[in-house]
Amino acid sequence: IRSLRSPAAAARERGLFVGSGHDGVAMASPARTSPPTHITVVVKNPANHGSVDYTTSVPASFTVGDLKLRIASELEGNPPPSTQRLIYSGALLRDDAQGLLETLGSADLSAPAVFHLVTSHSNASTPSTSEARKRNPANDAGPSRADASPPPLRMNPGASHSFPDGTPGTVPGTV
């Protein structure tokens, strides 16, 4: 007995979408799936100095702020969320309330999402740049270039110039 179902109907029952290819041959592709419940996240941190990237799986409902909290609790050094700057696909993620699914857009969610982490250190034990300059003996060697008088003006003979007082003039040429 032959089945009265068409091959297309059988494919639809198995969860496949059947359409026509450009050459008229029927082709099957997976049916659209529901959004993922979890996203695999890889965080690359240049401050790790060659250590392994941080990889975790987070709920698809996570926000950027939730991811920063997870990073703060699990990443070596426990950087506070306020010092974290996350970058995805070359863009700085400024809105902690933005959902990860919204952030990832049309990215392939079956592959890990790669974020780059940059942290700013606000550690009281680290001297500020101005304090470090005050204590640096190399700074006592004399005036810096910014404090020195400017180099003399050089003018091309015969060329038209504006002088420092704003008046136009021509530098006499040499013959």
Side-chain angles (χ1 to χ4, degrees):
I1 294 180
R2 289 184 74 191
S3 170
L4 298 177
R5 289 183 306 165
S6 71
R12 276 191 294 276
E13 287 175 12
R14 291 192 319 255
L16 298 175
F17 171 76
V18 178
S20 255
H22 67 281
D23 56 0
V25 177
M27 52 187 250
S29 62
R32 292 190 179 241
T33 59
S34 60
T37 59
H38 282 77
I39 301 169
T40 301
V41 173
V42 175
V43 178
K44 294 184 172 286
N45 182 2
N48 281 351
H49 303 294
S51 64
V52 179
D53 296 332
Y54 168 69
T55 303
T56 188
S57 178
V58 298
S61 61
F62 254 35
T63 63
V64 171
D66 294 333
L67 180 57
K68 287 181 178 182
L69 288 170
R70 171 75 63 93
I71 291 169
S73 69
E74 295 182 1
L75 186 68
E76 181 181 334
N78 305 100
S82 62
T83 66
Q84 297 176 29
R85 302 294 177 263
L86 284 174
I87 300 166
Y88 176 74
S89 191
L92 178 64
L93 305 180
R94 297 179 188 271
D95 184 5
D96 284 356
Q98 183 176 9
L100 287 185
L101 285 177
E102 181 184 349
T103 301
L104 300 176
S106 62
D108 177 13
L109 299 179
S110 65
V114 179
F115 292 84
H116 294 265
L117 173 67
V118 179
T119 57
S120 60
H121 294 287
S122 58
N123 187 345
S125 66
T126 305
S128 70
T129 306
S130 60
E131 290 173 7
R133 288 191 77 193
K134 289 177 193 172
R135 291 189 292 227
N136 186 350
N139 292 328
D140 297 334
S144 69
R145 183 72 184 132
D147 298 335
S149 59
L153 293 175
R154 294 189 177 173
M155 298 182 187
N156 295 330
S160 175
H161 292 281
S162 289
F163 290 100
D165 65 358
T167 58
T170 303
V171 177
T174 56
V175 195

